[in-house]
Amino acid sequence: MEIREHVPLASFTTLGVGGEARFFAEPRSLEDVQEAAAFARARDLPLFVLGGGSNVVVSDEGFSGLVLRMRSTQLSTEERGDMVFVTAGAGMVWDDFVVYAIKHNLFGIECLSGVPGTVGGAVVANLGAYGAQASDTFVRADVLDTRSGEPALKVFENEQCDFSYHDSFFSREPGRYIIIRATFALSRDAGAIPAYRDNRFDMTSLAVSLGRAPTQSEVRAEVLRMREEKGSLIMPGRISFKSAGSFFHMPFVSEEQYALVAAKAQEIDAAKEERLRPWAWRQKNGSYKVAPGFLLEYTEFKKGYVRGDVGISPRHTLSIINVGEGSARDIAALARDMQDAVEKIFGIRLEREVEYIGTIEG
Ligand SMILES: Cc1cc2nc3c(=O)[nH]c(=O)nc-3n(C[C@H](O)[C@H](O)[C@H](O)COP(=O)(O)OP(=O)(O)OC[C@H]3O[C@@H](n4cnc5c(N)ncnc54)[C@H](O)[C@@H]3O)c2cc1C
């Protein structure tokens, strides 16, 4: 496998910003990954594993170590009754995996249609949308641990991955674990799949409007339509923006904090607060999940905001976009200003969901 030097990274990310990787390789097999890990180890280089680059901002100064852009895309299947265990190479484009499942009448991931990135990245982020998440169907992954004496291949079962909302065990030590392939349990039985529902999507209402259960392709079409409407799609022939998806996590706040936010919003603009309901959802533990887009509506950082070559998607307040020749510095500065503005009004610091690679202030 070729290890190249000084490779520009911007085009391998969905935001399209960032400098060069000092070293860069595109492993297609476990052996390639092992070779690359040995190369980095021998030179004491930091390692960064890049999937589809859809959840990262690469520094304008680039990355001084070795970037591994995962390209393994092999698929294999194992039948077990109504279930089919599908194993996909970590470098496979996530949406290609979804399309494969739909074509083969395998249920379980159709609600995750149209999310950019790779299978490996989906496991790391516990990809979630429209009430479904990768961990619902994820069974296990073969993972190279680059820091365990000699790099060793380990199997991580679902319960070992410590999945939570948009997070997993693998994100805690960047560069240590390299997911080689991941296995998902998909079902041949449509009835075995729960009706996915969240605050934006209810499969039952789709069924009601059709007068029957939707097919997987109809679920996919509906999800893609909603994603495009929200500016959350990057797909040829569809309205797309250069973004990294939602830049900030949904904050969870205590009941008292929630009451303070509601009172503050009412005080500043009561009509807006009423118009934008629901903007918070009570959780089982009594806390509230708050829509960051609602908080941003009380700042200058609204949909369609533009500052130089970066801005906010005209379709999605949480999505910072590159509208021209934007840089990582511009993006980080805008993100910081958005965090400061929300904190100043509501006392809540929005937490970044997107990962910064290399040195970026902010
Ligand atoms: C338009 C748009 C819409 C989006 N919508 C959603 C959404 O609805 N729901 C959602 O959850 N996310 C969403 N995202 C965010 C993003 O698509 C997901 O987080 C995705 O899973 C990231 O995958 P990736 O392959 O691009 O990872 P990258 O961005 O390349 O990397 C992200 C992290 O994963 C690590 N990683 C990647 N592959 C591997 C591997 N093989 N082994 C070890 N570590 C690895 C990287 O080192 C890095 O730490 C969206 C992004 C965009 C641009």
PDB file of all heavy atoms in Angstrom, residues 261-273 295 297-299 344-346:
ATOM      1  N   VAL A 261     -34.967  29.000  31.053  1.00  0.00           N
ATOM      2  CA  VAL A 261     -34.885  29.234  29.598  1.00  0.00           C
ATOM      3  C   VAL A 261     -36.246  29.693  29.081  1.00  0.00           C
ATOM      4  O   VAL A 261     -36.347  30.667  28.325  1.00  0.00           O
ATOM      5  CB  VAL A 261     -34.425  27.949  28.854  1.00  0.00           C
ATOM      6  CG1 VAL A 261     -34.580  28.097  27.352  1.00  0.00           C
ATOM      7  CG2 VAL A 261     -32.979  27.623  29.203  1.00  0.00           C
ATOM      8  N   ALA A 262     -37.305  28.994  29.508  1.00  0.00           N
ATOM      9  CA  ALA A 262     -38.655  29.344  29.042  1.00  0.00           C
ATOM     10  C   ALA A 262     -38.999  30.776  29.455  1.00  0.00           C
ATOM     11  O   ALA A 262     -39.532  31.554  28.643  1.00  0.00           O
ATOM     12  CB  ALA A 262     -39.665  28.351  29.616  1.00  0.00           C
ATOM     13  N   ALA A 263     -38.673  31.129  30.702  1.00  0.00           N
ATOM     14  CA  ALA A 263     -38.997  32.472  31.190  1.00  0.00           C
ATOM     15  C   ALA A 263     -38.224  33.529  30.407  1.00  0.00           C
ATOM     16  O   ALA A 263     -38.773  34.567  30.020  1.00  0.00           O
ATOM     17  CB  ALA A 263     -38.682  32.562  32.687  1.00  0.00           C
ATOM     18  N   LYS A 264     -36.940  33.230  30.150  1.00  0.00           N
ATOM     19  CA  LYS A 264     -36.100  34.199  29.423  1.00  0.00           C
ATOM     20  C   LYS A 264     -36.636  34.401  27.999  1.00  0.00           C
ATOM     21  O   LYS A 264     -36.725  35.529  27.504  1.00  0.00           O
ATOM     22  CB  LYS A 264     -34.652  33.673  29.389  1.00  0.00           C
ATOM     23  CG  LYS A 264     -33.639  34.654  28.903  1.00  0.00           C
ATOM     24  CD  LYS A 264     -33.348  35.690  29.962  1.00  0.00           C
ATOM     25  CE  LYS A 264     -32.563  36.843  29.412  1.00  0.00           C
ATOM     26  NZ  LYS A 264     -32.406  37.936  30.351  1.00  0.00           N
ATOM     27  N   ALA A 265     -36.972  33.283  27.364  1.00  0.00           N
ATOM     28  CA  ALA A 265     -37.473  33.365  25.988  1.00  0.00           C
ATOM     29  C   ALA A 265     -38.784  34.147  25.948  1.00  0.00           C
ATOM     30  O   ALA A 265     -38.994  34.978  25.056  1.00  0.00           O
ATOM     31  CB  ALA A 265     -37.666  31.953  25.425  1.00  0.00           C
ATOM     32  N   GLN A 266     -39.651  33.913  26.907  1.00  0.00           N
ATOM     33  CA  GLN A 266     -40.927  34.638  26.999  1.00  0.00           C
ATOM     34  C   GLN A 266     -40.668  36.131  27.183  1.00  0.00           C
ATOM     35  O   GLN A 266     -41.316  36.970  26.562  1.00  0.00           O
ATOM     36  CB  GLN A 266     -41.742  34.103  28.185  1.00  0.00           C
ATOM     37  CG  GLN A 266     -42.558  32.861  27.857  1.00  0.00           C
ATOM     38  CD  GLN A 266     -43.897  33.213  27.224  1.00  0.00           C
ATOM     39  OE1 GLN A 266     -44.451  34.277  27.471  1.00  0.00           O
ATOM     40  NE2 GLN A 266     -44.407  32.332  26.369  1.00  0.00           N
ATOM     41  N   GLU A 267     -39.696  36.430  28.044  1.00  0.00           N
ATOM     42  CA  GLU A 267     -39.377  37.835  28.343  1.00  0.00           C
ATOM     43  C   GLU A 267     -38.870  38.561  27.089  1.00  0.00           C
ATOM     44  O   GLU A 267     -39.275  39.687  26.805  1.00  0.00           O
ATOM     45  CB  GLU A 267     -38.302  37.843  29.443  1.00  0.00           C
ATOM     46  CG  GLU A 267     -37.845  39.204  29.906  1.00  0.00           C
ATOM     47  CD  GLU A 267     -36.552  39.073  30.714  1.00  0.00           C
ATOM     48  OE1 GLU A 267     -36.414  38.133  31.533  1.00  0.00           O
ATOM     49  OE2 GLU A 267     -35.654  39.919  30.501  1.00  0.00           O
ATOM     50  N   ILE A 268     -38.019  37.860  26.313  1.00  0.00           N
ATOM     51  CA  ILE A 268     -37.437  38.532  25.127  1.00  0.00           C
ATOM     52  C   ILE A 268     -38.461  38.612  23.992  1.00  0.00           C
ATOM     53  O   ILE A 268     -38.612  39.648  23.359  1.00  0.00           O
ATOM     54  CB  ILE A 268     -36.178  37.781  24.629  1.00  0.00           C
ATOM     55  CG1 ILE A 268     -35.128  37.697  25.735  1.00  0.00           C
ATOM     56  CG2 ILE A 268     -35.577  38.467  23.410  1.00  0.00           C
ATOM     57  CD1 ILE A 268     -33.950  36.810  25.384  1.00  0.00           C
ATOM     58  N   ASP A 269     -39.135  37.506  23.711  1.00  0.00           N
ATOM     59  CA  ASP A 269     -40.088  37.493  22.601  1.00  0.00           C
ATOM     60  C   ASP A 269     -41.079  36.340  22.821  1.00  0.00           C
ATOM     61  O   ASP A 269     -40.841  35.202  22.387  1.00  0.00           O
ATOM     62  CB  ASP A 269     -39.323  37.315  21.268  1.00  0.00           C
ATOM     63  CG  ASP A 269     -40.228  37.476  20.059  1.00  0.00           C
ATOM     64  OD1 ASP A 269     -41.456  37.332  20.217  1.00  0.00           O
ATOM     65  OD2 ASP A 269     -39.710  37.724  18.954  1.00  0.00           O
ATOM     66  N   ALA A 270     -42.164  36.666  23.486  1.00  0.00           N
ATOM     67  CA  ALA A 270     -43.136  35.633  23.879  1.00  0.00           C
ATOM     68  C   ALA A 270     -43.777  34.986  22.652  1.00  0.00           C
ATOM     69  O   ALA A 270     -43.980  33.769  22.609  1.00  0.00           O
ATOM     70  CB  ALA A 270     -44.201  36.254  24.774  1.00  0.00           C
ATOM     71  N   ALA A 271     -44.071  35.806  21.634  1.00  0.00           N
ATOM     72  CA  ALA A 271     -44.752  35.259  20.445  1.00  0.00           C
ATOM     73  C   ALA A 271     -43.850  34.225  19.770  1.00  0.00           C
ATOM     74  O   ALA A 271     -44.316  33.163  19.327  1.00  0.00           O
ATOM     75  CB  ALA A 271     -45.079  36.391  19.481  1.00  0.00           C
ATOM     76  N   LYS A 272     -42.553  34.530  19.725  1.00  0.00           N
ATOM     77  CA  LYS A 272     -41.611  33.600  19.093  1.00  0.00           C
ATOM     78  C   LYS A 272     -41.559  32.297  19.884  1.00  0.00           C
ATOM     79  O   LYS A 272     -41.599  31.206  19.315  1.00  0.00           O
ATOM     80  CB  LYS A 272     -40.216  34.240  19.046  1.00  0.00           C
ATOM     81  CG  LYS A 272     -39.186  33.359  18.355  1.00  0.00           C
ATOM     82  CD  LYS A 272     -37.796  33.928  18.441  1.00  0.00           C
ATOM     83  CE  LYS A 272     -37.522  34.906  17.339  1.00  0.00           C
ATOM     84  NZ  LYS A 272     -36.133  35.375  17.327  1.00  0.00           N
ATOM     85  N   GLU A 273     -41.515  32.416  21.206  1.00  0.00           N
ATOM     86  CA  GLU A 273     -41.450  31.206  22.054  1.00  0.00           C
ATOM     87  C   GLU A 273     -42.650  30.307  21.783  1.00  0.00           C
ATOM     88  O   GLU A 273     -42.515  29.091  21.641  1.00  0.00           O
ATOM     89  CB  GLU A 273     -41.386  31.641  23.529  1.00  0.00           C
ATOM     90  CG  GLU A 273     -41.038  30.511  24.504  1.00  0.00           C
ATOM     91  CD  GLU A 273     -42.236  29.659  24.913  1.00  0.00           C
ATOM     92  OE1 GLU A 273     -43.353  30.187  25.067  1.00  0.00           O
ATOM     93  OE2 GLU A 273     -42.052  28.435  25.046  1.00  0.00           O
ATOM     94  N   LEU A 295     -32.684  27.985  20.803  1.00  0.00           N
ATOM     95  CA  LEU A 295     -31.854  28.940  21.564  1.00  0.00           C
ATOM     96  C   LEU A 295     -31.189  29.929  20.602  1.00  0.00           C
ATOM     97  O   LEU A 295     -31.138  31.134  20.860  1.00  0.00           O
ATOM     98  CB  LEU A 295     -30.785  28.192  22.376  1.00  0.00           C
ATOM     99  CG  LEU A 295     -31.314  27.098  23.329  1.00  0.00           C
ATOM    100  CD1 LEU A 295     -30.152  26.369  23.999  1.00  0.00           C
ATOM    101  CD2 LEU A 295     -32.242  27.712  24.390  1.00  0.00           C
ATOM    102  N   GLU A 297     -32.279  30.940  17.817  1.00  0.00           N
ATOM    103  CA  GLU A 297     -33.266  31.864  17.247  1.00  0.00           C
ATOM    104  C   GLU A 297     -33.319  33.193  18.011  1.00  0.00           C
ATOM    105  O   GLU A 297     -33.846  34.174  17.525  1.00  0.00           O
ATOM    106  CB  GLU A 297     -34.655  31.217  17.241  1.00  0.00           C
ATOM    107  CG  GLU A 297     -34.918  30.327  16.039  1.00  0.00           C
ATOM    108  CD  GLU A 297     -34.921  31.089  14.717  1.00  0.00           C
ATOM    109  OE1 GLU A 297     -35.374  32.241  14.696  1.00  0.00           O
ATOM    110  OE2 GLU A 297     -34.443  30.520  13.717  1.00  0.00           O
ATOM    111  N   TYR A 298     -32.811  33.205  19.230  1.00  0.00           N
ATOM    112  CA  TYR A 298     -32.809  34.436  20.032  1.00  0.00           C
ATOM    113  C   TYR A 298     -31.486  35.194  19.890  1.00  0.00           C
ATOM    114  O   TYR A 298     -31.242  36.160  20.590  1.00  0.00           O
ATOM    115  CB  TYR A 298     -33.104  34.105  21.509  1.00  0.00           C
ATOM    116  CG  TYR A 298     -34.569  33.795  21.714  1.00  0.00           C
ATOM    117  CD1 TYR A 298     -35.065  32.532  21.447  1.00  0.00           C
ATOM    118  CD2 TYR A 298     -35.457  34.797  22.107  1.00  0.00           C
ATOM    119  CE1 TYR A 298     -36.422  32.254  21.596  1.00  0.00           C
ATOM    120  CE2 TYR A 298     -36.810  34.527  22.258  1.00  0.00           C
ATOM    121  CZ  TYR A 298     -37.287  33.256  22.005  1.00  0.00           C
ATOM    122  OH  TYR A 298     -38.628  33.001  22.140  1.00  0.00           O
ATOM    123  N   THR A 299     -30.622  34.720  18.994  1.00  0.00           N
ATOM    124  CA  THR A 299     -29.347  35.398  18.741  1.00  0.00           C
ATOM    125  C   THR A 299     -29.365  35.917  17.306  1.00  0.00           C
ATOM    126  O   THR A 299     -30.355  35.731  16.588  1.00  0.00           O
ATOM    127  CB  THR A 299     -28.163  34.411  18.892  1.00  0.00           C
ATOM    128  OG1 THR A 299     -28.199  33.497  17.779  1.00  0.00           O
ATOM    129  CG2 THR A 299     -28.243  33.599  20.184  1.00  0.00           C
ATOM    130  N   LYS A 344     -24.607  33.701  26.664  1.00  0.00           N
ATOM    131  CA  LYS A 344     -24.862  35.023  27.236  1.00  0.00           C
ATOM    132  C   LYS A 344     -26.352  35.201  27.565  1.00  0.00           C
ATOM    133  O   LYS A 344     -26.711  35.753  28.601  1.00  0.00           O
ATOM    134  CB  LYS A 344     -24.423  36.086  26.216  1.00  0.00           C
ATOM    135  CG  LYS A 344     -24.276  37.442  26.802  1.00  0.00           C
ATOM    136  CD  LYS A 344     -23.539  38.354  25.846  1.00  0.00           C
ATOM    137  CE  LYS A 344     -23.829  39.796  26.223  1.00  0.00           C
ATOM    138  NZ  LYS A 344     -23.641  40.708  25.115  1.00  0.00           N
ATOM    139  N   ILE A 345     -27.210  34.701  26.706  1.00  0.00           N
ATOM    140  CA  ILE A 345     -28.651  34.893  26.930  1.00  0.00           C
ATOM    141  C   ILE A 345     -29.229  33.847  27.889  1.00  0.00           C
ATOM    142  O   ILE A 345     -29.965  34.171  28.808  1.00  0.00           O
ATOM    143  CB  ILE A 345     -29.414  34.830  25.585  1.00  0.00           C
ATOM    144  CG1 ILE A 345     -28.939  35.951  24.666  1.00  0.00           C
ATOM    145  CG2 ILE A 345     -30.924  34.916  25.802  1.00  0.00           C
ATOM    146  CD1 ILE A 345     -29.461  35.856  23.245  1.00  0.00           C
ATOM    147  N   PHE A 346     -28.862  32.574  27.663  1.00  0.00           N
ATOM    148  CA  PHE A 346     -29.556  31.490  28.385  1.00  0.00           C
ATOM    149  C   PHE A 346     -28.690  30.783  29.431  1.00  0.00           C
ATOM    150  O   PHE A 346     -29.168  29.910  30.157  1.00  0.00           O
ATOM    151  CB  PHE A 346     -30.075  30.443  27.387  1.00  0.00           C
ATOM    152  CG  PHE A 346     -31.152  30.961  26.479  1.00  0.00           C
ATOM    153  CD1 PHE A 346     -30.899  31.212  25.133  1.00  0.00           C
ATOM    154  CD2 PHE A 346     -32.426  31.209  26.965  1.00  0.00           C
ATOM    155  CE1 PHE A 346     -31.886  31.692  24.288  1.00  0.00           C
ATOM    156  CE2 PHE A 346     -33.431  31.688  26.129  1.00  0.00           C
ATOM    157  CZ  PHE A 346     -33.162  31.937  24.789  1.00  0.00           C
TER     158      PHE A 346
END
